[in-house]
């Protein structure tokens, strides 16, 4: 059990890689998409869809955010950040050129290679859609590896739909559908006004050779899960990424645990087969 | 043969240690006895049951600077904290030392916490075995003993004409270099400590009673004051935030407790442990279930601090008994 | 304490009376020591005791709260509430070793530029004599 | 006291639970050390024999009523605790018709200790001027009608020290503080949903567990109880590092008495001194 503390200098895992904010774009009224470049080439890291990193607003603190970009495109590290607290407020005030820091990548990822040949259903609600964007990018960049793809994106209102400018591109490839829905429309909205679980029931995707990837607020996940099960999806066919309060990302601060599992290290990506084995309700 | 260090010999040894290193020892602070840096041997308390706070703060300080930043010409330099100070802790009890060694589990797990590792490297622990355990102590019930030398560098045991000395680690041997020890054939008594806490098999039991209403009934009484966590040698939750002082930014971490409201509340407002019962369960399940699952031993060393310090008598020994009884009923 | 060892005084001035009074002092060229750092607040009743304690925590030597004369509050009764809070806080701080003299409450109207200058000068003098806070 | 009080409390609790008047009785039982009392929550009339009352019943059980909002609850209170009831009633935190008060005339409680029964009365009991509960639906014990006037020798003693010594004294206390907030958690008057000390924006108090921040916390905690503290002194009892918080509380109690002629928790409708004012008072300010 006890490991010998070694004499060699151990790098401090709390020190982030210095980075510069290169662009900051409004996605919705309270969500911005940040693009960061690491300052030192030797810090460059590889990462997979579903992983996350901590972004620092020096002087305020740091917070964990899902990586919204894909590593192989080398377009910088992207994070979609909703303004909800002190750190995200501070990040929203940064101008391009500002110095920041990145610590990561942390956590596991969506095993997209294992999903090859399968039909994919991607369901995201609100800011919960952010960690799904690299999943979509990866699948569409390797379109022929996957079967039918259904993307279902919902939000409270049309102006809360994340990545709206990319929907058209996502719908271009064959056998790919993008469905949008909002809880409440506005004057310019011609689309659906319905809750995600209801839209899902209406679309009725087949569970055969399919994987459903969902992310969103707890209440949405709860009801979406019920609908997927009604459609015949098994627990192991449903994958989600959990959100937990985190401070370290290293499995040390014991804040994001669900039972003996850490969201930061054992997750954040879990199948519902795994979640149903958790001792603690989440 | 046992090696003996006389009482005056011990004092001069401690005095010598103090010349080159920081010496931390039990000391009177107000009406408490706490581990604290001492400037002279006179301040050291040799006869005490257990200190009011555990010595974990010399490895996991109440407040620690993770790194500081220096800004210049729109360039930010991040400077990690380096710990230079060599420290010797004298008089650490076997239970407390075991608690610290136990935290190597999470803290040195890859990627290692460099501050913890540095504190561990720079600190030598001189243990003092318990000749008369206090009524709240139950180290023997949780896999240790009043003379357990497994987690210290040097173990001292009080005998008639001084202290029996055992160098446990190389670090300990180095510290003892040049210290004159007498040979003696005295046999060391093995004091006993409360063995009645039914901790055996508790891991399996906790799994069975996890969803019991027991927790929320117990939490009726709990005032979620965090005292248990702060006095505990094995509680290691922390908070991290930045601090700005006259342009200097430091990222600091401080003690925090899973008992505080909002500990798990995420920015959007959702809190998986919003009710008192699930917060209280978290603390005991961490000690009795999660930690054993992750690292082996129960993360309770039986020091009894929470037992004495809890203002509303939430007693881990009683809880372990209750759970075993409850588990037996569940079958 | 500022670098030249002269006392650091934080002044919370109500927008309607005392801040205007300070303004008046300025426009009528009434000299007063530069030790005071002025914060404009809507009302002396808005000065949360937290702000005052925070000033002392951060190392201020003295704090001045100035508002409209009793009866003249722009919000009718803000300064009456403030008066009670400050009276109690001043006693508590004194008990904790921050002498009563270091926390001063004054009623200064918009027309009392001269008095504002006098208060700040006297207060600064007094604080210089009292010396810096020795602990904390 | 002792057995007689215990029996009266048990009988009343049994009656209340049996006739469904309350869902829970909050009282005291003997703790795991077999010596000192601890809070007990009785939901079932069959369990009333757990209840006990003796001179180790130090806890202020009124705090727990904040967890029982909207639920009919009986609570055992001593004189000091009963003032907390009035405090919470006047601040609209609890509803009178949901609380059944079992008021015990308290001869004083002894120093609290684990596994040892002290014979020494707690400090607060020597100062106590409210042995008889100010609110009760069922009285246990003979009311004491005449209480001597308040005295503040400890506060006066502190005031004889120089300002520097006073500052040093409190600095030392702050240095020992570990910011566990047990003082707040035990206090019936501390019920803010978001305590100022945990606010991030603005961050009134930094998170460092260090003398400056700790000093700020202790000062404001005491101040926020100014004119509200009902002198149960639970904050000081629960402090794991023995900070003499009663000195701060009592200083404020004395000042509130002198300045505003007010004693907290004596009635449920007298407004607390800091939410009201008199036009023609000067309180020693800007004279």
């Amino acid at each position: 059990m006890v490991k010998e503390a070694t004499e060699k200098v151990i790098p401090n895992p709390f020190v982030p890689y210095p980075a510069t904010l290169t662009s900051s774009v409004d996605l919705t009224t309270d969500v911005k998409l940040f693009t960061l470049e690491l300052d030192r080439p030797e810090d460059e890291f590889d990462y997979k869809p579903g992983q996350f990193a901590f972004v620092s607003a020096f002087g305020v603190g740091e917070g964990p955010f899902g990586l919204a970009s894909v590593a192989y495109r080398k377009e910088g590290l992207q994070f979609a950040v909703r303004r909800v607290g002190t750190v995200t407020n501070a990040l929203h005030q940064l101008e391009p050129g500002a110095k920041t820091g990145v610590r990561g990548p942390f956590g596991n990822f969506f095993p997209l290679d294992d999903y090859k040949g399968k039909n994919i259903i991607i369901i995201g609600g609100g800011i919960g859609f952010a960690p799904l964007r690299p999943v979509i990018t990866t699948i569409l960049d390797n379109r022929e590896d996957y079967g039918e793809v259904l993307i279902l994106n919902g939000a409270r209102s049309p102006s809360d739909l994340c990545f709206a400018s990319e929907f058209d591109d996502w719908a271009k490839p064959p056998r790919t559908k993008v469905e949008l829905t909002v809880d409440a429309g506005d004057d310019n909205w011609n689309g659906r006004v319905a809750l995600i679980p209801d839209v899902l029931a209406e679309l009725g995707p087949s569970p055969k050779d399919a994987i459903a990837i969902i992310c969103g607020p707890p209440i949405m996940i709860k009801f979406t899960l019920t609908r997927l099960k009604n459609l015949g999806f098994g627990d192991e066919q449903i994958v989600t990424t959990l959100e937990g309060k985190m401070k370290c990302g290293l499995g040390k601060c014991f804040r994001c645990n669900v039972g003996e599992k850490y969201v930061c290290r054992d997750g954040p990506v879990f199948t519902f087969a795994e979640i149903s084995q958790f001792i603690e309700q989440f | 043969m046992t090696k003996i260090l006389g009482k005056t010999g011990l004092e001069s040894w401690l005095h010598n240690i103090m010349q080159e290193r920081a010496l931390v020892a039990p000391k009177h602070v107000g009406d408490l006895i706490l581990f604290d840096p001492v400037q002279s041997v006179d301040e050291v308390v040799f006869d005490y049951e257990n200190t009011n706070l555990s010595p974990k703060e010399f490895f996991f300080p109440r407040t620690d600077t993770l790194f500081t930043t220096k800004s210049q010409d729109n360039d930010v330099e991040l400077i990690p904290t380096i710990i230079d100070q060599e420290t010797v802790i004298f008089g650490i009890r076997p239970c407390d030392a075991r608690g610290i060694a136990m935290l190597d589990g999470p803290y040195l797990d890859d990627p290692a916490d460099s501050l913890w590792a540095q504190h561990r490297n720079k600190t030598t622990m001189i243990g003092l075995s318990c000749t008369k355990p206090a009524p709240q102590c139950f180290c023997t019930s949780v896999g240790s003993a009043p003379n357990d030398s497994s987690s210290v560098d040097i173990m001292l045991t009080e005998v008639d004409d001084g202290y029996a000395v055992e160098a446990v680690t190389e670090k300990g041997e180095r510290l003892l270099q040049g210290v004159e020890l007498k040979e003696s054939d005295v046999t060391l008594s093995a004091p006993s400590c409360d063995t009645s806490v039914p901790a055996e098999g508790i891991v399996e039991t906790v799994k069975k009673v996890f969803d019991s209403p027991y927790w929320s009934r117990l939490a009726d009484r709990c005032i979620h004051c965090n005292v248990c966590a702060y006095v505990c040698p094995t509680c290691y939750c922390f908070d991290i935030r930045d601090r700005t002082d006259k342009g200097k930014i430091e990222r600091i971490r401080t003690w925090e407790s899973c008992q505080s409201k909002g500990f798990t509340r995420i920015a959007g407002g959702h809190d998986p442990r919003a009710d008192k019962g699930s917060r209280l369960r978290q603390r005991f399940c961490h000690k009795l279930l999660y930690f054993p699952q992750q690292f082996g031993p129960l993360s309770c060393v039986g020091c009894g601090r929470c037992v004495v310090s809890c203002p509303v008598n939430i007693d881990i020994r009683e809880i372990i008994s209750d759970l075993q009884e409850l588990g037996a009923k569940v079958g | 304490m500022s670098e030249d060892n002269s006392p650091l005084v934080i002044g919370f001035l109500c927008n309607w009376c005392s801040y205007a009074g300070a303004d008046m002092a300025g426009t009528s060229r009434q000299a007063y020591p530069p030790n005071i750092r002025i914060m404009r607040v809507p009302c002396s009743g808005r000065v949360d005791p937290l702000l005052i304690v925070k000033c002392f925590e951060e190392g201020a030597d003295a704090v001045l709260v100035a508002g409209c004369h009793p009866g003249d509050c722009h919000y009718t009764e803000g300064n009456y509430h403030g008066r009670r809070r400050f009276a109690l806080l001043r006693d508590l701080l004194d008990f904790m070793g921050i002498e009563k003299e270091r926390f001063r409450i004054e009623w200064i109207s918009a027309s009392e530029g001269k008095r504002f200058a006098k208060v700040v000068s006297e207060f600064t003098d007094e604080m210089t004599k009292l010396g810096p806070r020795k602990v904390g | 006291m002792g057995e007689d009080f215990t029996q009266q409390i048990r009988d009343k609790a049994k009656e209340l639970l049996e006739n469904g008047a309350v869902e829970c009785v909050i009282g005291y039982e003997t703790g795991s050390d077999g010596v000192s009392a601890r809070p007990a929550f009785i939901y079932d009339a069959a369990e009333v024999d757990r209840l006990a009352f003796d001179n180790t019943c130090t806890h202020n059980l009124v705090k727990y009523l904040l967890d029982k909002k909207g639920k009919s609850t009986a609570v055992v209170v001593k004189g000091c605790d009963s003032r907390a009831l009035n405090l919470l009633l006047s601040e609209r935190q609890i509803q009178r018709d949901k609380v059944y008060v079992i008021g015990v005339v308290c001869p004083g409680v002894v120093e609290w200790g684990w596994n040892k029964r002290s014979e020494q009365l707690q400090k607060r009991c020597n100062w106590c001027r409210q042995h008889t509960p100010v609110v009760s639906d069922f009285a246990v014990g003979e009311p004491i009608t005449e209480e001597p006037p308040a005295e503040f020798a400890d506060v006066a003693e502190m005031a004889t020290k120089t300002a520097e010594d006073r500052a040093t004294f409190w600095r030392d206390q702050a240095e020992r503080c570990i910011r566990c907030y047990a003082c707040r958690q035990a206090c019936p008057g501390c019920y803010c949903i978001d305590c100022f000390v945990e606010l991030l924006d603005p961050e009134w108090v930094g998170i460092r567990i260090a003398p400056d921040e700790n000093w700020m916390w202790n000062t404001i905690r005491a101040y926020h109880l100014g004119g509200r503290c009902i002198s149960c002194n639970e904050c000081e009892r629960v402090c794991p590092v023995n900070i003499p918080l009663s000195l701060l509380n009592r200083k404020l109690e004395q000042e509130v008495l002198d300045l505003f002629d007010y004693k907290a928790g004596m009635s449920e409708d007298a407004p607390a001194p800091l939410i009201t004012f008199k036009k023609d008072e000067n309180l020693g300010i800007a004279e």
Side-chain angles (χ1 to χ4, degrees):
Chain A
M1 192 275 301
V2 177
K3 287 180 194 149
E4 190 76 334
T6 48
E7 276 290 348
K8 70 173 196 290
V9 179
I10 296 169
N12 183 330
F14 289 99
V15 178
Y17 303 133
T20 305
L21 182 70
T22 55
S23 97
S24 164
V25 180
D26 285 315
L27 289 183
T28 74
T29 47
D30 60 355
V31 179
K32 280 189 177 192
L33 183 69
F34 298 121
T35 308
L36 273 57
E37 295 284 353
L38 295 174
D39 291 350
R40 301 180 301 220
E42 68 268 27
D43 292 340
E44 297 284 343
F45 55 83
D46 189 29
Y47 58 95
K48 299 238 168 66
Q51 288 195 292
F52 66 95
F54 281 79
V55 180
S56 283
F58 291 122
V60 182
E62 60 176 1
F65 305 101
L67 281 147
S69 49
V70 289
Y72 62 84
R73 282 198 178 183
K74 302 205 181 301
E75 293 169 340
L77 303 169
Q78 294 189 321
F79 302 90
V81 177
R82 186 164 149 223
R83 201 178 62 230
V84 280
T86 47
V87 172
T88 49
N89 251 321
L91 288 172
H92 269 241
Q93 278 162 21
L94 295 182
E95 299 282 342
K99 287 294 165 192
T100 170
V102 177
R103 211 149 62 74
F106 294 121
N108 65 355
F109 46 86
F110 293 103
L112 294 182
D113 286 347
D114 299 348
Y115 301 162
K116 283 182 180 170
K118 290 186 192 284
N119 298 327
I120 311 286
I121 299 126
I122 297 165
I123 309 163
I127 186 68
F129 206 79
L132 302 180
R133 181 184 182 235
V135 173
I136 296 171
T137 315
T138 307
I139 290 175
L140 297 186
D141 283 346
N142 303 280
R143 189 63 195 86
E144 62 286 358
D145 289 345
Y146 299 89
E148 303 275 330
V149 173
L150 169 64
I151 298 166
L152 173 53
N153 186 3
R156 284 168 302 180
S157 74
S159 60
D160 287 316
L161 282 166
C162 285
F163 308 110
S165 64
E166 300 174 34
F167 297 158
D168 289 346
D169 286 342
W170 291 350
K172 270 181 199 155
R175 297 176 297 137
T176 308
K177 265 204 318 201
V178 177
E179 299 285 348
L180 305 174
T181 184
V182 295
D183 298 352
D186 59 21
D187 294 346
N188 301 321
W189 182 252
N190 303 318
R192 275 197 182 81
V193 178
L195 298 174
I196 288 177
D198 299 332
V199 178
L200 183 69
E202 179 199 322
L203 296 169
S206 160
K208 192 164 182 300
D209 289 331
I211 288 286
I213 301 175
I214 61 179
C215 185
I219 189 81
M220 178 214 115
I221 292 195
K222 189 177 161 207
F223 288 102
T224 307
L225 190 63
T226 316
R227 295 301 160 92
L228 283 169
K229 287 188 168 177
N230 289 346
L231 289 167
F233 281 80
D235 279 351
E236 68 291 342
Q237 285 175 284
I238 310 170
V239 193
T240 188
T241 164
L242 293 181
E243 192 183 6
K245 176 99 169 178
M246 292 173 195
K247 288 287 176 179
C248 70
L250 308 165
K252 302 203 189 298
C253 74
F254 222 80
R255 198 183 285 255
C256 67
N257 75 302
V258 195
E260 81 284 10
K261 301 275 188 214
Y262 298 107
V263 171
C264 72
R265 234 177 47 177
D266 301 311
V269 175
F270 293 102
T271 66
F272 273 89
E274 292 168 309
I275 290 174
S276 62
Q277 296 298 310
F278 288 168
I279 194 166
E280 200 176 7
Q281 292 285 321
F282 208 62
Chain B
M1 283 306 248
T2 309
K3 292 196 173 102
I4 303 287
L5 179 60
K7 290 207 158 87
T8 45
L10 173 65
E11 286 180 11
S12 61
W13 180 41
L14 292 179
H15 180 80
N16 289 341
I17 288 173
M18 241 180 289
Q19 307 314 309
E20 288 167 3
R21 307 158 198 249
L23 181 68
V24 169
K27 164 181 156 184
H28 288 288
V29 178
D31 47 2
L32 310 173
I33 296 179
L34 299 176
F35 279 100
D36 213 31
V38 290
Q39 312 307 326
S40 110
V41 180
D42 301 340
E43 290 178 76
V44 179
V45 180
F46 291 91
D47 181 26
Y48 66 100
E49 280 181 351
N50 232 340
T51 51
N52 296 74
L53 300 177
S54 88
K56 74 173 169 190
E57 64 180 295
F58 297 96
F59 301 88
F60 171 42
R62 301 171 189 192
T63 302
D64 221 350
T65 301
L66 297 170
F67 62 84
T68 46
T69 70
K70 215 164 70 183
S71 286
Q72 214 173 9
D73 308 329
N74 196 32
D75 206 23
V76 179
E77 197 189 341
L78 308 177
I79 305 149
T81 307
I82 301 295
I83 293 145
D84 289 324
Q85 180 69 58
E86 291 270 351
T87 301
V88 172
I89 303 185
F90 168 77
I92 199 162
R93 294 297 187 197
C95 54
D96 285 341
R98 185 161 174 257
I100 285 153
M102 221 175 242
L103 293 188
D104 284 346
Y107 276 132
L108 295 185
D109 203 12
D110 188 49
D113 185 295
S114 61
L115 290 176
W116 176 270
Q118 290 183 70
H119 280 298
R120 286 286 271 146
N121 285 335
K122 297 279 178 191
T123 309
T124 310
M125 292 195 276
I126 305 175
L128 196 54
S129 65
C130 296
T131 43
K132 47 171 208 301
Q136 68 271 19
C137 294
F138 59 103
C139 64
T140 317
S141 296
V142 287
S144 182
N147 57 359
D148 178 0
S149 63
S150 61
S151 308
V152 294
D153 296 299
I154 297 169
M155 185 58 137
L156 304 184
T157 307
E158 198 174 356
V159 289
D160 285 345
D161 48 349
Y163 293 86
V165 180
E166 180 195 351
V168 182
T169 64
E170 259 179 59
K171 215 194 237 173
E173 267 166 30
R174 278 202 299 276
L175 195 67
L176 276 168
Q177 259 166 25
V179 178
E180 229 172 279
L181 301 173
K182 272 194 321 224
E183 299 266 320
S184 158
D185 54 2
V186 65
T187 43
L188 301 180
S189 62
S192 66
C193 185
D194 185 1
T195 53
S196 67
V197 183
E200 212 180 307
I202 190 69
V203 174
E204 287 310 310
T205 305
V206 174
K207 282 187 201 161
K208 282 194 281 190
V209 300
F210 192 86
D211 292 313
S212 162
Y214 177 80
W215 301 108
S216 58
R217 282 286 172 262
L218 185 65
D220 268 345
R221 194 163 83 230
C222 180
I223 56 172
H224 292 276
C225 67
N226 300 345
V227 168
C228 50
Y230 284 16
V231 300
C232 179
T234 67
C235 269
Y236 62 95
C237 291
F238 56 79
D239 192 7
I240 296 180
R241 214 176 293 163
D242 285 9
R243 174 172 184 272
T244 310
D245 187 24
K246 298 181 182 74
K248 193 184 101 178
I249 295 171
E250 49 182 350
R251 183 154 297 163
I252 55 175
R253 82 165 154 202
T254 61
W255 291 357
E256 216 196 342
S257 150
C258 61
Q259 297 307 295
S260 55
K261 199 178 75 177
F263 183 74
T264 50
R265 186 171 55 213
I266 54 175
H270 177 65
D271 187 348
R273 270 181 229 118
D275 67 294
K276 288 174 69 175
S278 59
R279 292 212 296 281
L280 195 64
R281 181 177 63 188
Q282 164 72 10
R283 177 173 151 80
F284 290 101
C285 284
H286 191 185
K287 300 219 172 297
L288 305 177
L289 176 61
Y290 311 149
F291 197 90
Q293 282 176 323
Q294 290 172 334
F295 303 105
L298 303 180
S299 68
C300 171
V301 293
C303 72
R305 282 193 185 85
C306 59
V307 176
V308 209
S309 308
C310 177
V312 293
N313 187 227
I314 290 183
D315 182 337
I316 188 166
R317 304 166 316 155
E318 186 188 19
I319 291 170
I320 293 174
S321 302
D322 286 353
L323 294 176
Q324 294 289 28
E325 212 172 292
L326 213 60
K329 275 187 212 152
V330 177
Chain C
M1 175 70 35
S2 52
E3 276 165 22
D4 62 351
N5 256 13
S6 65
L8 175 64
V9 180
I10 307 296
F12 292 98
L13 309 186
C14 116
N15 177 52
W16 305 97
C17 293
S18 310
Y19 190 82
D23 219 23
M24 170 72 88
T27 48
S28 55
R29 299 184 176 274
Q30 298 283 337
Y32 59 85
N35 301 59
I36 190 164
R37 307 285 186 281
I38 293 174
M39 314 274 165
R40 177 157 67 158
V41 291
C43 175
S44 55
R46 185 263 174 259
V47 182
D48 191 318
L50 266 167
L51 289 165
I52 296 158
V53 178
K54 189 79 186 162
C55 290
F56 286 119
E57 186 214 330
E58 298 275 332
D61 293 300
V63 175
L64 169 71
V65 178
C68 308
H69 287 271
D72 293 346
C73 178
H74 185 78
Y75 307 101
T76 321
E77 54 189 42
N79 52 2
Y80 291 133
H81 282 291
R83 185 166 61 187
R84 282 198 160 202
R85 284 181 211 145
F86 304 143
L88 196 58
L89 180 65
R90 195 168 59 163
D91 289 330
L92 178 66
L93 289 176
D94 183 70
F95 190 69
M96 297 183 76
I98 295 174
E99 299 92 327
K100 254 189 160 101
E101 297 75 28
R102 293 190 188 272
F103 174 30
R104 187 155 175 168
I105 303 103
E106 288 289 344
W107 312 129
I108 298 169
S109 78
S111 60
E112 294 177 308
K114 208 169 177 177
R115 207 169 86 79
F116 176 81
K118 188 166 162 264
V119 163
V120 175
S121 307
E122 281 177 5
F123 194 26
T124 309
D125 276 357
E126 219 181 296
M127 289 304 108
T128 310
K129 277 187 208 123
L130 191 59
R133 277 170 57 211
K134 292 171 192 76
V135 184
Chain D
M1 197 180 53
E3 280 170 23
D4 180 38
F5 280 22
T6 297
Q7 199 51 50
Q8 291 182 52
I9 293 169
R10 287 178 184 171
D11 291 347
K12 187 42 96 178
K14 190 158 189 249
E15 176 198 322
L16 293 167
L17 288 165
E18 267 172 357
N19 68 18
V22 298
E23 189 179 276
C24 176
V25 177
I26 308 177
Y28 301 94
E29 67 183 344
T30 304
S32 64
D33 57 353
V35 176
S36 298
R38 71 182 182 194
F41 292 69
I42 309 291
Y43 294 89
D44 185 346
E47 288 191 28
V48 296
D49 286 348
R50 275 169 53 197
L51 290 169
F53 192 90
D54 63 14
N55 63 2
T56 63
C57 292
T58 172
H59 318 75
N60 187 343
L61 304 178
V62 172
K63 175 78 183 184
Y64 294 113
L65 292 177
L66 295 163
D67 294 333
K68 295 278 181 194
K69 284 184 185 180
K71 292 179 184 154
S72 295
T73 309
V75 63
V76 175
V77 299
K78 307 183 293 293
C80 49
D81 308 339
S82 73
R83 292 170 61 190
L85 277 168
N86 272 338
L87 177 78
L88 295 185
L89 287 167
S90 70
E91 295 177 355
R92 309 283 183 273
Q93 294 304 310
I94 52 174
Q95 289 164 279
R96 185 65 183 89
D97 59 351
K98 294 283 183 194
V99 182
Y100 188 93
V101 186
I102 302 174
V104 181
V105 179
C106 172
V109 290
V110 292
E111 284 291 346
W112 192 80
W114 190 84
N115 203 39
K116 50 181 178 276
R117 183 187 290 266
S118 168
E119 292 306 319
Q120 181 79 37
L121 274 189
Q122 290 191 17
K123 280 194 287 189
R124 58 154 160 173
C125 301
N126 295 322
W127 310 318
C128 175
R129 299 293 177 262
Q130 198 59 54
H131 295 84
T132 309
V134 288
V135 196
S136 83
D137 295 314
F138 176 71
V140 178
E142 280 301 309
I144 296 166
T145 46
E146 293 231 348
E147 303 270 14
E151 59 88 16
F152 297 93
D154 52 335
V155 175
E157 192 201 322
M158 185 62 152
T160 60
K161 295 184 181 178
T162 64
E164 192 177 341
D165 286 350
R166 294 198 298 274
T168 309
F169 177 85
W170 290 109
R171 180 83 187 177
D172 289 348
Q173 305 304 321
E175 196 160 337
R176 219 159 65 214
C177 176
I178 52 173
R179 291 268 291 279
C180 62
Y181 307 137
C183 42
R184 175 187 76 188
Q185 295 302 103
C187 177
C190 277
Y191 54 76
C192 287
I193 292 168
D194 292 307
C195 176
F196 77 95
V197 78
E198 277 153 356
L199 288 184
L200 296 182
D201 196 11
E203 191 184 33
W204 289 110
V205 188
I207 64 165
R208 283 199 316 170
I209 304 174
D212 284 354
E213 284 85 345
N214 301 353
W215 178 85
M216 173 101 185
W217 156 248
N218 283 293
T219 308
I220 297 291
R221 187 209 62 83
Y223 184 80
H224 278 179
L225 271 303
R228 300 175 64 243
C229 171
I230 48 83
S231 322
C232 68
N233 209 26
E234 275 292 277
C235 49
E236 183 171 301
R237 180 187 70 88
V238 303
C239 179
V241 292
N242 297 359
I243 298 176
L245 297 169
S246 60
L247 266 176
L248 296 178
N249 298 337
R250 279 169 55 73
K251 169 68 184 173
L252 287 165
E253 185 187 341
Q254 185 190 27
E255 290 302 332
V256 166
L257 207 56
D258 284 357
L259 289 168
F260 313 120
D261 191 25
Y262 183 87
K263 226 175 134 183
M266 297 307 285
S267 111
E268 73 176 274
D269 35 42
L274 293 190
I275 60 166
T276 182
F277 61 86
K278 285 184 186 140
K279 286 185 179 173
D280 54 355
E281 60 190 355
N282 66 32
L283 310 175
I285 282 172
E287 280 167 272

